[in-house]
Amino acid sequence: MTTITDVARAAGVSTATVSRVINNTGKVNELLAERVRGVIDELGYQPSRLARSLRTRRSRTWAVIISDIRNPFFTDMIRGIEDVAYKNNYAVVLCNAEEDDSKVASYIHLALSEHMSGLVVTPTYTHRIDLSPVLEEEVPLVMVDRKVEGYDFDSVLVDNVWGAEEAVEHLIEGGYRRIATIGGPVETTTGYERLLGYKKALQVHGIDIEEQFVRISTFREKGGYEEMRFLINLEQRPDAVFVANNLMTIGALRALHEANVAVPDEIAIIGFDDMSWSSLLRPPLTAVAQPTYELGAETAKLLLSRIDGYTGPGRQVVLSPTLMVRESSKPKLKSR
Amino acid sequence: MTTITDVARAAGVSTATVSRVINNTGKVNELLAERVRGVIDELGYQPSRLARSLRTRRSRTWAVIISDIRNPFFTDMIRGIEDVAYKNNYAVVLCNAEEDDSKVASYIHLALSEHMSGLVVTPTYTHRIDLSPVLEEEVPLVMVDRKVEGYDFDSVLVDNVWGAEEAVEHLIEGGYRRIATIGGPVETTTGYERLLGYKKALQVHGIDIEEQFVRISTFREKGGYEEMRFLINLEQRPDAVFVANNLMTIGALRALHEANVAVPDEIAIIGFDDMSWSSLLRPPLTAVAQPTYELGAETAKLLLSRIDGYTGPGRQVVLSPTLMVRESSKPKLKSR
DNA sequence: CTGTTAGCGCGTTCAT
DNA sequence: ATGAACGCGCTAACAG
């Protein structure tokens, strides 16, 4: 491994000069600089990121801590972040927290310990997460998708209330009245807000909320499966279900198929999160599509501006989802 | 940020002693050690990974360079790697190469530059990738899913030939004879081997291979879509298609749906890679299921053994896929 | 403009 | 058994 000292010796200059050439800092005689660059090429020298980070206390890397790598929502979002990062010469490392708070904490520690210059976090739960080290080290951090209460970081969010409301509204307009929901943990902003939107739509239309119809679970496939089974087994089944994320929707659909419940004739379904294969499901799935790529890109832009020195109160970017209407929520046949 | 010097001062010892206590290296008076540990707890001291890595030339981190973060196959595999890594106290960072060789190279450089102690790579293409720096630095590397010719690294693979052969065989047994394939780049081992399995099955049964029926594309959804459109528009359509990965299968199904081609009545479909929602598609998709989690776990084990000092020629672990038979490949109705 | 010097936070000799 | 001193590779401060 060739070091800056090797380069300096070969070029007959000091390491300081080499450093200045590499970083375009300070003034260097163009002739000398040219010679140094020649040697660098010749030796294939590449600065050690480690030593550099140790010295400058900043590494040109962002850590993106996501709560579930298997969720396509996050992987799409990551693409948005990466594109902006690469354009600005940052490397991105992904950390998979598996919806586990302690893993989030340990990855945050990792990122700070490696002096990474930016942090993107999709929080798992709103409590129980201590971000004070991030504040102490003054490392820019942006939250995506979810927020953590009690901190004033920049955040990029989706209008979950509105998205959920639109979905349920669409069901009501289609003639459905016994509408259930399978929601995520209310300790997450996404879980809480989507539930809120569900309730709001029902209230606006003067439909009572049946307690049995509000099923709270994890955001995992298994939860969706189990809660849908519960709903199917009710004496008075719902005639439609709004499911608050993609993985739970898969579980819910599996339960319906297994029990031979016809969709949408017996129970209509709307999911949150559109996926490339939503239209290939039986029946094609109506879903609230989130602007995943843009979510990531906006996040990266906020992060960049913080790294570039912007200080000021936390900013919130809220993007709107879109309802993709397909057959799983087809209006009921009714005399009009 | 508290450093080892702070701890040493507070405990009234030298930094060398603190270092010895932390790393269990050398002999330290138990009483002293206890005192040092007390101070460490009190101050909440955590060693700087950066300084440590710079000094030891090894970081307790693995880099996993995957070729497409949006492919569920890879994200499932990652879980297998992570579980083993965490148990052995390694952190895992993910690098998304987007099927782009130059990104692979730059991430490899990043990993070496940060002195990471292990590397997992899912190569994009078999040529054009220079792994000599990895050999020079003697950093353990394991290949998963695909191989790069000309190197002798450990690798964990799936028996692609057999998987593809099983799939096509199943179609033949079902009475299909005009069987096409949509394959991936033959420069990848996965692309090449799955194509081989396809051809082998046909040959064994004495079925001629029609040149038009062998469609080679990228492993992306778009490629699957376009090639399926081509097949649909042929005067003499195939009656079955074997699609060589999950994303292309989605594209292929979309093309079929758009063109209102009945599956499997007009064209039967088998995909490679099973997904949690394969059974929810219309019709439920027959697919070659890969043991994704095990693939990751095996990879991690090989890596660990290398890190722990195993030297010796490259080892190959080959896992078998399983054909999940569903309706998209239903046998043709025939008089028997 | 260029070089010398110091030190980021550690682990590791080499004395004692 | 313990501490002093050094250096990993780099950038920043200070001279000249």
Side-chain angles (χ1 to χ4, degrees):
Chain A
M1 197 183 177
T2 76
T3 73
I4 199 172
T5 316
D6 302 331
V7 176
R9 188 161 27 219
V13 298
S14 74
T15 59
T17 302
V18 178
S19 173
R20 281 191 272 259
V21 171
I22 295 169
N23 300 302
N24 288 320
T25 161
K27 307 234 179 263
V28 177
N29 183 307
E30 187 48 37
L31 231 68
L32 250 192
E34 208 46 62
R35 195 161 86 217
V36 169
R37 275 190 281 267
V39 173
I40 288 178
D41 275 359
E42 196 179 326
L43 267 53
Y45 165 72
Q46 306 230 224
S48 154
R49 301 174 60 97
L50 229 43
R52 186 177 260 180
S53 303
L54 181 61
R55 180 64 236 240
T56 61
R57 303 169 155 282
R58 275 295 165 266
S59 154
R60 236 182 145 73
T61 308
W62 293 353
V64 177
I65 302 174
I66 45 184
S67 49
D68 183 2
I69 183 89
R70 280 183 294 191
N71 189 332
F73 166 76
F74 290 118
T75 55
D76 282 356
M77 197 192 67
I78 287 164
R79 290 278 297 108
I81 297 175
E82 283 178 337
D83 281 356
V84 176
Y86 287 128
K87 273 191 200 119
N88 292 275
N89 206 23
Y90 285 94
V92 174
V93 299
L94 275 22
C95 309
N96 180 25
E98 290 287 308
E99 302 270 7
D100 176 344
D101 280 329
S102 69
K103 286 196 181 173
V104 173
S106 87
Y107 276 124
I108 285 179
H109 172 72
L110 177 77
L112 294 181
S113 171
E114 310 241 326
H115 294 297
M116 297 194 178
S117 51
L119 226 46
V120 175
V121 176
T122 62
T124 53
Y125 296 99
T126 46
H127 321 302
R128 296 191 315 208
I129 247 191
D130 181 21
L131 293 173
S132 53
V134 179
L135 290 172
E136 276 169 33
E137 304 283 338
E138 298 188 331
V139 176
L141 181 152
V142 179
M143 308 255 177
V144 212
D145 184 44
R146 303 181 192 165
K147 282 176 61 181
V148 170
E149 307 294 329
Y151 293 96
D152 189 38
F153 291 111
D154 291 341
S155 48
V156 180
L157 305 168
V158 164
D159 193 340
N160 288 298
V161 177
W162 187 78
E165 203 180 342
E166 282 286 289
V168 175
E169 183 107 10
H170 168 71
L171 288 170
I172 295 171
E173 278 169 9
Y176 298 95
R177 288 296 175 273
R178 304 179 49 73
I179 303 173
T181 188
I182 300 178
V186 290
E187 294 88 10
T188 62
T189 50
T190 43
Y192 176 75
E193 291 174 4
R194 290 172 196 173
L195 181 60
L196 203 64
Y198 161 82
K199 289 182 175 170
K200 207 166 150 194
L202 293 184
Q203 277 162 0
V204 164
H205 288 266
I207 302 174
D208 287 340
I209 294 166
E210 284 194 41
E211 213 168 304
Q212 282 191 320
F213 281 3
V214 178
R215 316 303 313 167
I216 300 303
S217 170
T218 65
F219 272 128
R220 305 285 181 87
E221 181 175 338
K222 187 163 173 249
Y225 177 84
E226 286 165 0
E227 298 305 331
M228 184 55 89
R229 284 196 57 85
F230 175 91
L231 291 172
I232 290 171
N233 289 330
L234 283 177
E235 278 192 29
Q236 298 281 324
R237 279 185 187 174
D239 59 3
V241 181
F242 165 64
V243 191
N245 96 327
N246 50 5
L247 302 185
M248 292 198 303
T249 305
I250 294 172
L253 288 175
R254 183 185 317 290
L256 289 166
H257 285 188
E258 278 183 17
N260 272 318
V261 176
V263 179
D265 296 343
E266 295 181 68
I267 296 184
I269 294 285
I270 296 187
F272 213 100
D273 293 332
D274 199 29
M275 287 142 306
S276 65
W277 35 270
S278 292
S279 62
L280 304 178
L281 294 171
R282 44 172 184 161
L285 181 70
T286 297
V288 182
Q290 304 196 61
T292 46
Y293 184 91
E294 291 75 14
L295 229 42
E298 282 301 323
T299 302
K301 285 178 197 161
L302 289 182
L303 192 57
L304 264 183
S305 80
R306 289 280 175 189
I307 290 172
D308 290 346
Y310 171 86
T311 57
R315 296 162 290 179
Q316 316 257 340
V317 175
V318 178
L319 303 182
S320 295
T322 317
L323 185 66
M324 308 295 289
V325 176
R326 302 199 184 90
E327 288 173 37
S328 72
S329 63
K330 201 163 54 179
K332 279 192 171 180
L333 293 177
K334 292 182 77 170
S335 54
R336 259 210 175 223
Chain B
M1 196 182 176
T2 76
T3 73
I4 199 171
T5 316
D6 301 332
V7 176
R9 188 162 26 221
V13 298
S14 74
T15 59
T17 303
V18 178
S19 174
R20 283 191 270 259
V21 171
I22 295 170
N23 300 302
N24 288 320
T25 163
K27 305 231 179 273
V28 177
N29 184 307
E30 187 47 39
L31 231 68
L32 250 193
E34 208 46 61
R35 194 163 86 217
V36 170
R37 275 190 280 268
V39 173
I40 288 178
D41 276 359
E42 197 179 326
L43 268 53
Y45 165 72
Q46 307 229 224
S48 153
R49 301 174 61 96
L50 228 44
R52 186 177 260 182
S53 304
L54 181 61
R55 181 62 236 244
T56 62
R57 305 167 154 284
R58 275 294 166 266
S59 154
R60 232 181 149 72
T61 307
W62 294 353
V64 177
I65 301 173
I66 45 184
S67 48
D68 183 1
I69 183 95
R70 278 183 296 191
N71 188 332
F73 166 76
F74 290 118
T75 55
D76 282 356
M77 198 193 66
I78 287 165
R79 290 278 298 107
I81 298 176
E82 283 179 336
D83 281 356
V84 175
Y86 287 129
K87 274 190 199 119
N88 292 275
N89 206 23
Y90 285 94
V92 174
V93 298
L94 275 24
C95 309
N96 181 25
E98 290 287 307
E99 301 271 6
D100 176 344
D101 280 331
S102 69
K103 286 197 181 174
V104 173
S106 89
Y107 275 124
I108 284 179
H109 173 71
L110 177 77
L112 294 180
S113 171
E114 310 239 327
H115 294 295
M116 297 195 179
S117 51
L119 225 46
V120 174
V121 177
T122 63
T124 53
Y125 296 99
T126 47
H127 323 302
R128 295 190 317 208
I129 247 191
D130 180 20
L131 293 172
S132 53
V134 179
L135 290 172
E136 276 169 32
E137 305 281 338
E138 299 188 328
V139 176
L141 180 152
V142 179
M143 309 253 178
V144 212
D145 185 46
R146 303 180 192 167
K147 282 176 62 181
V148 170
E149 308 293 328
Y151 292 97
D152 188 38
F153 291 112
D154 291 341
S155 49
V156 180
L157 304 168
V158 164
D159 193 339
N160 288 299
V161 178
W162 187 80
E165 203 179 343
E166 283 286 289
V168 175
E169 183 107 10
H170 168 72
L171 288 170
I172 296 171
E173 278 169 9
Y176 297 96
R177 287 296 174 272
R178 304 179 49 74
I179 303 173
T181 187
I182 300 177
V186 291
E187 295 89 11
T188 62
T189 51
T190 44
Y192 176 76
E193 292 175 3
R194 291 172 197 172
L195 181 60
L196 204 63
Y198 160 83
K199 289 182 175 170
K200 207 166 152 195
L202 292 184
Q203 277 163 359
V204 165
H205 288 266
I207 302 174
D208 287 341
I209 294 167
E210 285 195 41
E211 214 167 304
Q212 281 191 321
F213 281 2
V214 177
R215 315 304 312 166
I216 300 302
S217 170
T218 65
F219 272 128
R220 304 285 182 86
E221 182 175 338
K222 187 161 172 251
Y225 177 85
E226 285 165 359
E227 297 305 331
M228 183 56 88
R229 283 196 57 85
F230 175 91
L231 292 171
I232 290 171
N233 289 330
L234 284 178
E235 277 192 30
Q236 298 281 325
R237 277 185 189 175
D239 58 4
V241 181
F242 165 64
V243 190
N245 96 327
N246 49 6
L247 302 186
M248 291 199 303
T249 305
I250 295 172
L253 288 176
R254 183 186 319 291
L256 289 166
H257 285 189
E258 278 183 17
N260 272 319
V261 177
V263 180
D265 296 342
E266 294 181 68
I267 296 184
I269 293 284
I270 296 187
F272 213 100
D273 293 332
D274 199 30
M275 288 143 305
S276 65
W277 36 269
S278 291
S279 63
L280 304 178
L281 294 171
R282 45 172 182 158
L285 181 70
T286 298
V288 181
Q290 304 197 61
T292 45
Y293 183 91
E294 291 74 15
L295 228 43
E298 282 301 322
T299 302
K301 284 179 196 161
L302 290 183
L303 193 57
L304 263 183
S305 79
R306 288 281 174 190
I307 291 173
D308 290 346
Y310 172 86
T311 58
R315 297 162 289 179
Q316 316 257 339
V317 176
V318 178
L319 303 180
S320 295
T322 316
L323 185 66
M324 308 295 289
V325 177
R326 302 199 185 90
E327 288 174 37
S328 71
S329 63
K330 203 164 54 180
K332 279 193 172 180
L333 294 178
K334 292 182 74 169
S335 54
R336 258 207 177 229

